[in-house]
Amino acid sequence: MPFQTKTLSTMACFLCLVCSPIAAQLRPEAGAPPADKKQPAKAARIVVETVPSAEVYLDDVFQGRASTAGRVVIANAASGEHTLRVTLAGKKDHEERITVPAGKEVSVEVALADLPAKITVHSSPGAEVFLDSVRRGTTDTAGELVVPDVPAGSHTVRVSASGKKEFQEQVSLQAGKEESVQAGLTELPGKIVVHSLPGADVFLDDTHRGITDSNGELTLQDVPPGAHTLRVTARGKKDLQEPVEIAAGEKAIVQAALTDLVGKIVVHSSPGADVLLDDVRRGTTDASGNLVIPDAAPGSHDLRVWATGKKNYQQQVILSAGQETRIDASLAPLEEPAPAPPPVHTFRVSAKMGLLMYVGGVLTVDNTNMSYRSDSGKYSFQFTIAEIERAYETMGDLGTRHDLHVLLKSGKQYEMINTQGAGHGAQGAAFVSQAIALVNVNRPVAPRAK
């Protein structure tokens, strides 16, 4: 055991002697850095060019606020990949990935865009919405449409729908804000073209809308759709009033022909009296003895009133347009009963067989029948006296001709003009008087016209 120790010790000394020159060669020089230590990397730098007062973040760590020149310098930035974020109130955030080389300077320019605004349009369902003449969509069933991502500034909003008047409005938007537009659409107006007399006044729903021109025409613009009342008036003419229905965006043409303004005659006489105006029967006075003739044309008229057992009343009436005239037609009783009628036989007459056609022939009257036959035999009529409701006379040829009128109970009427002397003067008067007396044989005789 001691032998081994000595041997080992001797060998160790030998090795020390052999290796000592090599060890001397590997010894570091004085003042030199250790071989196992690296030199520190040179720091990088990031220069951000952006909007003044913008906030700059690197990997979500606040690095500073941009100067008035819009610059932020991030010194001693570590090399490698980074996330750069720049924010400013009212601007859209900017975020990007950047690579920073060791010991280098990286320059980044960041332009911040304005935050988009938003417009909410409220209108009729199905309305089309345009922004600066660009179609942006259609309102939903609730009448709403949201237009997103609208740049800040001034814009033109236009809304339209079929049959509606277009809506247009200028809207000023702030960045990031929402603006609401109430685009109420009214129905598209129509128009009415009136044709009437030149210078006529035109009213729509009691509002004066103008006067027709020299051609008698007036166009009413911007008439709301729906039912209206049109009234046209002119001096000396009867007002015209009628309803007019206008559809949205449509045109209505109205022919407003104005007639002369009529007068009115109010007759007061005996109850049940017959009233004739210009030989045309206009009715019978009521139980109070009154009768109104509401549509008498302006000018001169012959008014006659008669009743059984009374003297006839006759008066010339002159009416102005729109005038009302009251006539007190008092009927005096007959001074004496009418004489018994002599027999009536045959007389020549011209009977009315059409609107303006009178045909000559022979009229035969006896106690029971009345018959007529034209000279050619083409026209004839016959009826019994019992079929007659009433017979009366009118005057023609300035009072010298006595004409016989017969009204049957069936409603038929006959008119016979006396001719060739028999219908004129005393002979004609006697003929008509006798014929009327036969008709009224069982009642008072109707007097002939005076």
Side-chain angles (χ1 to χ4, degrees), residues 195-209:
H195 295 279
S196 187
L197 297 174
D201 286 286
V202 179
F203 298 80
L204 188 67
D205 300 327
D206 291 328
T207 299
H208 187 259
R209 295 296 297 268

Side-chain angles (χ1 to χ4, degrees), residues 65 82-83 96 117 154 181 216 251 273 320 380 385 397:
R65 194 182 302 274
H82 297 277
T83 299
E96 66 176 278
S154 180
V181 175
K251 177 177 75 173
S320 299
S380 64
I385 299 299
D397 292 344

Side-chain angles (χ1 to χ4, degrees), residues 21-366:
I22 299 173
Q25 291 178 4
L26 296 176
R27 184 179 300 153
E29 297 181 1
D36 59 346
K37 291 186 178 180
K38 296 180 179 180
Q39 290 285 344
K42 184 179 178 181
R45 193 168 81 147
I46 304 171
V47 178
V48 180
E49 302 283 349
T50 186
V51 180
S53 300
E55 295 180 347
V56 178
Y57 296 81
L58 191 66
D59 301 326
D60 291 328
V61 177
F62 179 68
Q63 300 295 323
R65 194 182 302 274
S67 65
T68 55
R71 172 178 285 196
V72 174
V73 177
I74 305 174
N76 300 320
S79 61
E81 294 286 328
H82 297 277
T83 299
L84 179 69
R85 181 162 53 89
V86 182
T87 67
L88 180 63
K91 300 288 184 178
K92 195 173 184 179
D93 289 358
H94 176 88
E95 187 174 296
E96 66 176 278
R97 294 288 291 174
I98 61 174
T99 301
V100 179
K104 300 293 183 179
E105 179 179 294
V106 176
S107 181
V108 181
E109 291 186 5
V110 177
L112 295 182
D114 287 336
L115 276 174
K118 182 168 68 173
I119 300 176
T120 301
V121 178
H122 300 276
S123 188
S124 302
E128 291 189 293
V129 178
F130 297 82
L131 186 67
D132 300 326
S133 299
V134 177
R135 188 179 183 277
R136 298 302 295 269
T138 304
T139 55
D140 58 21
T141 54
E144 185 175 293
L145 175 69
V146 177
V147 183
D149 300 328
V150 181
S154 180
H155 300 273
T156 300
V157 176
R158 180 165 57 89
V159 184
S160 64
S162 178
K164 303 286 185 178
K165 191 174 183 180
E166 190 174 86
F167 172 90
Q168 184 167 307
E169 184 176 288
Q170 205 74 13
V171 180
S172 183
L173 299 178
Q174 296 181 5
K177 300 293 184 180
E178 178 181 350
E179 191 72 26
S180 180
V181 175
Q182 300 294 332
L185 299 182
T186 58
E187 290 187 317
L188 200 63
K191 64 180 178 180
I192 301 175
V193 180
V194 180
H195 295 279
S196 187
L197 297 174
D201 286 286
V202 179
F203 298 80
L204 188 67
D205 300 327
D206 291 328
T207 299
H208 187 259
R209 295 296 297 268
I211 300 173
T212 55
D213 60 19
S214 58
N215 295 319
E217 184 175 301
L218 175 68
T219 300
L220 309 185
Q221 304 284 359
D222 299 325
V223 179
H228 300 275
T229 300
L230 181 75
R231 182 163 55 91
V232 183
T233 67
R235 186 178 181 85
K237 300 294 181 179
K238 190 176 182 179
D239 289 0
L240 180 140
Q241 181 169 306
E242 64 178 68
V244 180
E245 186 78 23
I246 297 296
E250 297 296 323
K251 177 177 75 173
I253 299 177
V254 177
Q255 300 293 340
L258 301 182
T259 58
D260 288 337
L261 194 63
V262 296
K264 181 166 70 172
I265 301 175
V266 179
V267 178
H268 179 74
S269 186
S270 302
D274 284 317
V275 178
L276 290 85
L277 190 67
D278 301 323
D279 288 331
V280 177
R281 186 174 181 273
R282 299 303 298 269
T284 304
T285 56
D286 59 20
S288 299
N290 295 315
L291 174 70
V292 177
I293 303 174
D295 54 355
S300 179
H301 299 275
D302 179 45
L303 177 73
R304 287 197 298 126
V305 183
W306 69 271
T308 302
K310 303 285 186 179
K311 286 185 177 181
N312 286 2
Y313 176 92
Q314 187 169 357
Q315 178 178 332
Q316 202 74 12
V317 179
I318 299 176
L319 284 179
S320 299
Q323 176 187 358
E324 177 180 317
T325 299
R326 302 184 67 86
I327 302 295
D328 187 7
S330 299
L331 300 182
L334 289 174
E335 296 179 356
E336 56 184 29
V344 179
H345 296 292
T346 299
F347 287 89
R348 289 200 58 77
V349 298
S350 288
K352 187 175 184 181
M353 291 298 169
L355 183 62
L356 296 174
M357 182 175 67
Y358 288 84
V359 180
V362 176
L363 177 69
T364 301
V365 182
D366 57 32

